[in-house]
Amino acid sequence: MTGVTGPYVLVSGPGEATAEEEAWAEEVGRLVAEAGGIVLCGGLRGVMDAAARGARTAGGISVGILPGESRTGSGTSLTVAIPTGVGETRNALLVRAADVVIAISGEFGTLSEIAFALKMGKPVIGLHTWDLSKPGDGVDPIVRVTSPEEAVARALAEAGRGGG
Amino acid sequence: MTGVTGPYVLVSGPGEATAEEEAWAEEVGRLVAEAGGIVLCGGLRGVMDAAARGARTAGGISVGILPGESRTGSGTSLTVAIPTGVGETRNALLVRAADVVIAISGEFGTLSEIAFALKMGKPVIGLHTWDLSKPGDGVDPIVRVTSPEEAVARALAEAGRGGG
Amino acid sequence: MTGVTGPYVLVSGPGEATAEEEAWAEEVGRLVAEAGGIVLCGGLRGVMDAAARGARTAGGISVGILPGESRTGSGTSLTVAIPTGVGETRNALLVRAADVVIAISGEFGTLSEIAFALKMGKPVIGLHTWDLSKPGDGVDPIVRVTSPEEAVARALAEAGRGGG
Amino acid sequence: MTGVTGPYVLVSGPGEATAEEEAWAEEVGRLVAEAGGIVLCGGLRGVMDAAARGARTAGGISVGILPGESRTGSGTSLTVAIPTGVGETRNALLVRAADVVIAISGEFGTLSEIAFALKMGKPVIGLHTWDLSKPGDGVDPIVRVTSPEEAVARALAEAGRGGG
C-alpha cells in the first residue's frame, strides 16, 4: 500500500453513461493510478465504476463515497466504499476530498461537483462537459481537454500547482 | 407565527453584491413573505441579508443556514440563524430545505445551489444568473425572468406544481 | 418576529415518549419561548413535537431540523421545518445550532446529542436522562435537574455563561 | 488490493492517548487487517494513528475520515485520508461507514461515535470505555472486552451477524 504519492483525483460523470464515456473514465482511472494517484468517485455505476475499474487494472486504489446508508449497490471495482447516508450532499464531500476534478460529460450531479470545486478553488478539467458562463463575464472557469490522456496530464499539472 | 402557508424559497446570490442585486433580493424577500412563504438564505451579507431584510419588512420569517460554527457574522435581519459548521457543504443543505430556488446573479456558490436544485428536481428561477448548457443538449434548465416580481410569481407557481 | 433575544435551546428526547415526558417537554418549550429563546428540536413526534407545541403556546418560535428529505411527517406545531436528507447525521447539526441542550429521558439518539454537545463544549441539562461515566473518572458531565422549570432556569444560566 | 473480504471496523479513541491505549489500538488495527478487514478511524493522532499503523504493519488498508478541509495534520500511516470539512459532524460519517465499532477508552468524541453506532444499530465493542445506562433500564448496550484480541474476535463475530 505504499506508493500513494500522487493527488486524489475525483472522476465525475453520469451513472448512466455511453460506452465512449465509460471508456474515457476507465482510461482516466488507469492513468491516475499509474501516476501514483488515488481515484475518487461517487461509487455507483457508469463513469464512476469505470474509473474504479481503470485504477484496479493499474494496481491502484479507488475510493467511492456513496450517497446511501450501505455499500449495497456500490461499484464492484472499488478498493474502498464509504457509505455516507447523506444523499446528494455527498457530492460536496467528494469534492472536498479531492485535489482536482476531472468532469466527463455529465448530468446535474456532475454540474454540482464542478460548481463545488470552483467554489473551493480546486481545478476542474472538463472532457466534453457542461458549458458555463457567469453573468456579464465570458471567462470559462473549466480547463477544457479532448482526451483522457490530456485530462490526466492537465489534472496532475494543476494539482501540483497547489490544488488541494 | 401563524400564516406560514407558502413555500420555502431559497434566495441564492453573492455575499458581495451590487446595489441593484441587493435591491432585487430585498424585493424578492418582501414579496415571498407577503405571499406567506419563508425566505431561506445562506445567512451572510449581500444578497442573503437583503432577502432577509425584505422578509422582515413584510413581517415575515427568514432562515439563514450558515457555513460556520457560530452565529457570529450572520446577517442582522434574520429571524432564525442556523450555524452548521460544515462549510460550503451547507449549500446542499440550503437547497434540500427549499421548495424552489431564486438565483440572483451569482458566483460559484450560487452555481452550486443551482446545480443541487436541478439534481434534486427543484425548480430554479434565474434573474441575471449563470448560463448553462449540458453537452450535446441546448435545453436551458433554468426558468429565466427579468424582474423580482416575475421571479416570485414564477417561484410560487412552480412550487405549487410540486417542487419540494 | 422581534423578541428573539434568548438562546437557541435544543430540546432532545425520544419520538416515542410517555405522557409525562411530553408534558415536561411542552413545559420546557413554553418556558424557553417566554424567556425569548428559540426552541430547536428534531422536528418529529413525541418530545420533539411537544417542545414545539409549548413554544407555540407562548407565541414563540420553534425550529425542527429533520432527518428526511422532505417536511412530510414533521411535527405540526413547528414554526420552521428544515429537512436535511442526511439521516441521523442531522443530530450533529442540531447540536451545532444550539447554545445549550436540555435532554429529557432519551434513547440512543438523545445520547448522540448529549455526546456531541459535550464534545462541542456546550452545556447539557439532563432531566431523567442517561447516566454516563468516563473510564477512570467519576465526574458527571451533565447538569442534573428534576423539573422542567429547573431545566430551563439552568439552561438560560449556562447559555449566558458562554455556551454557543 | 484484493483481499478486502472482512468488515469495515471503526477504531474509536482519543487523539491524546496513553502508551497502553496506543498499544491496544495498534494491535487491534493489525488483527483487523490480518483478518482481511479495513480499519476506519478519525485520521488524527493517538488511538487513530496507532490503529492505522497496525493495519499498515499487516499490509492492510486504513481509511481516515478527517474533520478539517485538508489532509494536513492527518496520521502518517493511513492508506487513504479523506478530509470532510464538516468538523465534529464527521463522527457521524465515520460510524455510518463502519460495520462495527471498537471503542478504546475515550473522550467525548468517542462517546458520540458509540452513541451513533447504537442509534444506527451497529455493534459496539468496548475496551475500557464509557459506562452508560439508560434511565430506568440497567442494560449495558456495549459488548465489554478486556484485550485487543478479544475486541477483534468479538467485532468480527458481531459484524458477521449482520452489523452494517
Side-chain angles (χ1 to χ4, degrees):
Chain A
M1 289 318 315
T2 55
V4 179
T5 54
Y8 286 61
V9 180
L10 171 55
V11 184
S12 176
E16 306 224 348
T18 65
E20 184 179 39
E21 289 162 351
E22 291 203 17
W24 288 340
E26 185 166 347
E27 183 68 0
V28 162
R30 191 179 65 78
L31 293 169
V32 167
E34 285 185 353
I38 286 185
V39 170
L40 282 171
C41 71
L44 302 176
R45 306 295 172 183
V47 157
M48 298 173 262
D49 199 40
R53 200 161 56 237
R56 168 165 289 202
T57 302
I61 296 175
S62 65
V63 178
I65 299 183
L66 297 156
E69 296 194 349
S70 80
R71 276 178 281 279
T72 307
S74 66
T76 54
S77 300
L78 292 168
T79 312
V80 173
I82 306 286
T84 63
V86 301
E88 311 301 346
T89 298
R90 78 86 150 72
N91 292 6
L93 297 175
L94 267 173
V95 176
R96 177 59 73 198
D99 296 311
V100 57
V101 178
I102 298 177
I104 296 178
S105 187
E107 299 289 334
F108 295 135
T110 299
L111 180 61
S112 73
E113 291 167 11
I114 292 171
F116 263 111
L118 295 170
K119 175 66 179 169
M120 295 177 186
K122 305 193 181 201
V124 178
I125 316 299
L127 180 56
H128 191 60
T129 194
W130 287 84
D131 279 321
L132 300 176
S133 75
K134 199 187 290 192
D137 170 355
V139 180
D140 183 352
I142 297 179
V143 177
R144 306 283 172 176
V145 296
T146 58
S147 72
E149 293 73 20
E150 194 188 355
V152 175
R154 289 303 299 270
L156 297 175
E158 295 286 335
R161 271 207 282 279
Chain B
M1 288 318 316
T2 55
V4 179
T5 54
Y8 286 61
V9 180
L10 171 56
V11 184
S12 176
E16 306 224 347
T18 66
E20 184 179 37
E21 290 163 350
E22 291 203 16
W24 288 340
E26 186 166 346
E27 183 68 0
V28 163
R30 191 178 65 76
L31 293 168
V32 167
E34 285 184 354
I38 286 186
V39 170
L40 281 171
C41 70
L44 302 176
R45 306 295 171 183
V47 158
M48 298 172 262
D49 199 39
R53 201 161 55 237
R56 167 165 289 202
T57 302
I61 295 176
S62 65
V63 178
I65 300 184
L66 298 156
E69 295 193 349
S70 80
R71 276 179 280 279
T72 307
S74 65
T76 54
S77 299
L78 292 168
T79 312
V80 174
I82 306 287
T84 63
V86 301
E88 311 301 347
T89 298
R90 79 86 151 72
N91 291 6
L93 299 175
L94 267 172
V95 176
R96 178 59 74 196
D99 296 311
V100 56
V101 178
I102 298 177
I104 296 178
S105 187
E107 299 289 334
F108 295 135
T110 299
L111 180 61
S112 73
E113 291 166 12
I114 291 171
F116 264 113
L118 295 170
K119 175 67 179 169
M120 295 176 186
K122 305 191 181 202
V124 178
I125 317 299
L127 180 56
H128 190 61
T129 193
W130 286 84
D131 278 322
L132 301 177
S133 75
K134 200 187 288 193
D137 170 355
V139 180
D140 184 352
I142 297 178
V143 177
R144 305 284 171 176
V145 296
T146 58
S147 71
E149 292 75 19
E150 193 188 356
V152 175
R154 289 303 299 270
L156 297 174
E158 295 286 335
R161 270 208 283 280
Chain C
M1 289 318 317
T2 54
V4 180
T5 54
Y8 285 61
V9 180
L10 172 55
V11 185
S12 175
E16 307 224 347
T18 66
E20 183 180 39
E21 289 163 349
E22 292 203 17
W24 288 340
E26 185 165 347
E27 183 68 359
V28 162
R30 191 179 66 77
L31 292 169
V32 167
E34 284 184 354
I38 286 185
V39 171
L40 282 171
C41 70
L44 302 176
R45 306 296 171 182
V47 158
M48 299 173 262
D49 200 37
R53 200 161 56 238
R56 167 165 291 201
T57 302
I61 295 176
S62 65
V63 179
I65 300 183
L66 298 156
E69 296 194 348
S70 80
R71 275 177 282 278
T72 307
S74 65
T76 54
S77 299
L78 293 168
T79 312
V80 173
I82 306 287
T84 63
V86 301
E88 311 301 346
T89 298
R90 78 86 151 72
N91 292 7
L93 298 175
L94 267 172
V95 176
R96 178 58 75 197
D99 296 312
V100 57
V101 177
I102 297 177
I104 296 178
S105 187
E107 299 290 332
F108 296 135
T110 299
L111 180 61
S112 73
E113 292 167 11
I114 291 171
F116 263 113
L118 295 171
K119 175 67 179 170
M120 295 177 186
K122 305 191 182 202
V124 178
I125 317 298
L127 180 56
H128 191 60
T129 194
W130 287 84
D131 278 321
L132 300 177
S133 74
K134 199 187 291 191
D137 168 357
V139 181
D140 184 352
I142 297 179
V143 177
R144 306 283 170 177
V145 296
T146 57
S147 71
E149 293 72 21
E150 194 189 354
V152 175
R154 290 302 300 269
L156 296 175
E158 295 287 335
R161 272 207 283 281
Chain D
M1 290 317 316
T2 55
V4 180
T5 54
Y8 286 60
V9 180
L10 172 55
V11 185
S12 176
E16 307 223 347
T18 65
E20 183 179 38
E21 289 163 350
E22 292 203 17
W24 288 340
E26 185 165 347
E27 184 68 0
V28 163
R30 190 179 66 77
L31 293 169
V32 167
E34 285 184 353
I38 286 185
V39 171
L40 282 171
C41 69
L44 302 176
R45 306 296 172 182
V47 158
M48 299 172 260
D49 200 38
R53 200 162 55 238
R56 167 165 292 201
T57 302
I61 296 176
S62 66
V63 178
I65 300 184
L66 299 156
E69 297 193 348
S70 81
R71 275 178 283 278
T72 306
S74 65
T76 54
S77 299
L78 293 168
T79 312
V80 173
I82 306 287
T84 63
V86 301
E88 311 301 347
T89 299
R90 78 85 151 73
N91 292 6
L93 299 175
L94 267 173
V95 176
R96 178 59 74 198
D99 296 311
V100 57
V101 177
I102 297 177
I104 296 178
S105 186
E107 299 290 333
F108 296 135
T110 299
L111 180 61
S112 73
E113 291 166 12
I114 291 171
F116 263 112
L118 295 171
K119 174 68 179 169
M120 295 177 185
K122 305 191 181 201
V124 178
I125 316 300
L127 180 56
H128 191 60
T129 194
W130 287 84
D131 279 321
L132 300 177
S133 75
K134 199 186 292 192
D137 168 356
V139 181
D140 184 352
I142 297 179
V143 177
R144 306 282 171 178
V145 297
T146 57
S147 72
E149 293 72 20
E150 194 189 356
V152 175
R154 290 302 300 267
L156 296 175
E158 295 287 334
R161 272 208 283 279

